[in-house]
Amino acid sequence: QVQLVESGGGLVQAGGSLRLSCAANGRTFSNYRMGWFRRAPGKEREFVAAINWSGSTTVYADSVKGRVTISKDDPNNTVYLQMNSLKFEDTAVYYCAAGPRSSLSYNLVRAYNYWGQGTQVTVSS
């Protein structure tokens, strides 16, 4: 029902900034919670940030809090992840995810039903 396409990844030096975009195709997502997860080499998928259906609530992992901002642009069916002060340990494939409105915690993988293909973020030290 919801198709997600991430973009904006690339190579950036430590301390730099990057903005990831996630575009939903074929359906508006104003009624969905949106999340960003990442998978670093040799590690399991890790929660990064989420925003609820209305945009009134945002949740961040401790590892990125203060450096990352998630936002939504509902008229354009797009969610963003602004990342600043990037660290080498931020290197990972970043995935956009969408899930229905529910009482599930935002950091749970099972709270999301749709996933993008991922975009690579590489931070050089």
Side-chain angles (χ1 to χ4, degrees), residues 33-57:
R33 64 170 63 179
M34 303 298 298
W36 286 95
F37 292 75
R38 67 187 183 185
R39 179 173 288 161
K43 294 186 177 181
E44 190 55 64
R45 183 165 44 186
E46 175 189 31
F47 170 76
V48 178
I51 187 167
N52 75 333
W53 67 274
S54 69
S56 62
T57 299

Side-chain angles (χ1 to χ4, degrees), residues 3-118:
Q3 297 179 2
L4 305 174
V5 180
E6 302 98 333
S7 62
L11 176 64
V12 64
Q13 293 186 11
S17 298
L18 208 60
R19 189 180 75 161
L20 306 183
S21 298
C22 174
N25 298 323
R27 183 174 178 174
T28 59
F29 64 12
S30 60
N31 292 326
Y32 290 83
R33 64 170 63 179
M34 303 298 298
W36 286 95
F37 292 75
R38 67 187 183 185
R39 179 173 288 161
K43 294 186 177 181
E44 190 55 64
R45 183 165 44 186
E46 175 189 31
F47 170 76
V48 178
I51 187 167
N52 75 333
W53 67 274
S54 69
S56 62
T57 299
T58 57
V59 181
Y60 299 97
D62 289 339
S63 60
V64 301
K65 193 172 299 181
R67 302 187 296 116
V68 166
T69 301
I70 186 172
S71 61
K72 287 202 306 175
D73 182 358
D74 287 344
N76 291 305
N77 295 331
T78 304
V79 62
Y80 302 97
L81 187 71
Q82 177 67 46
M83 301 188 294
N84 303 319
S85 302
L86 284 165
K87 306 174 180 179
F88 176 76
E89 49 265 42
D90 293 320
T91 296
V93 177
Y94 284 71
Y95 299 91
C96 178
R101 297 172 61 181
S102 75
S103 61
L104 293 173
S105 296
Y106 291 98
N107 64 339
L108 298 177
V109 169
R110 71 175 189 267
Y112 304 90
N113 297 329
Y114 306 98
W115 296 82
Q117 84 289 346

